[in-house]
Amino acid sequence: MTTLFNAHHLLLSQLVEDEQLSSLVRGVFDYVPEETEFPCVVLSEVVASPQRTKTNKGVQVEFSIEVWNRKTGKSEILNTLDCIEALLETKQIAEDAFFISQEINSIEVLKDEETDYYQGKIKLKILLDMEEF
């Protein structure tokens, strides 16, 4: 569990500390306060699954990074997603483990029908080697 916590904390810290991203959004959150202004970035889902071989014990961690906005167009969200993508391509999210790989699985933009907000989502996958047998 420590590895999952550390990976989550590192990713959140890198998003919060990025100056270019900060200039595009009103905040980066793990939990969104009720009075939050838009646009904002939310580190929402975190899923970990074991990745074992005969010689290695690893873990795959998948993150969902969401961008929310009330505006009627998608261009502001696309610009923010581009910024996050560039950040993820230059920084590795790994600590307390041997880093194997990091990749973006998907990027999408959609309109939430219940709220009429626009949502952008990046799915990030990292693979860590926890220890050798």
Side-chain angles (χ1 to χ4, degrees):
M1 187 61 110
T2 300
T3 301
L4 183 60
F5 176 82
N6 288 343
H8 178 268
H9 178 74
L10 281 169
L11 177 57
L12 187 62
S13 294
Q14 289 181 359
L15 293 170
V16 167
E17 294 168 6
D18 188 76
E19 290 179 15
Q20 183 178 0
L21 180 59
S22 293
S23 72
L24 298 173
V25 298
R26 300 287 185 167
V28 177
F29 305 99
D30 177 39
Y31 167 77
V32 183
E34 193 171 311
E35 299 299 320
T36 299
E37 294 183 31
F38 292 90
C40 67
V41 174
V42 181
L43 185 53
S44 59
E45 299 171 350
V46 181
V47 178
S49 56
Q51 299 292 311
R52 298 172 195 246
T53 67
K54 290 181 180 180
T55 58
N56 292 20
K57 177 182 174 186
V59 64
Q60 176 179 294
V61 184
E62 296 182 40
F63 295 97
S64 291
I65 304 165
E66 299 176 357
V67 179
W68 287 90
N69 201 354
R70 289 185 181 169
K71 297 206 176 185
T72 56
K74 297 177 193 85
S75 58
E76 192 171 16
I77 283 186
L78 289 169
N79 190 34
T80 306
L81 290 172
D82 284 345
C83 178
I84 295 170
E85 181 181 17
L87 172 68
L88 296 175
E89 289 176 349
T90 60
K91 294 194 177 187
Q92 295 179 353
I93 314 300
E95 189 175 85
D96 293 345
F98 178 74
F99 176 80
I100 297 174
S101 67
Q102 173 177 315
E103 66 181 306
I104 293 174
N105 279 354
S106 65
I107 299 175
E108 64 180 322
V109 177
L110 47 101
K111 187 173 183 180
D112 185 78
E113 298 302 324
E114 291 181 26
T115 61
D116 285 334
Y117 294 166
Y118 279 94
Q119 175 192 28
K121 186 182 286 189
I122 293 179
K123 294 280 192 168
L124 174 69
K125 177 178 75 173
I126 63 172
L127 187 58
L128 304 171
D129 181 14
M130 302 305 296
E131 65 184 46
E132 292 188 15
F133 289 111

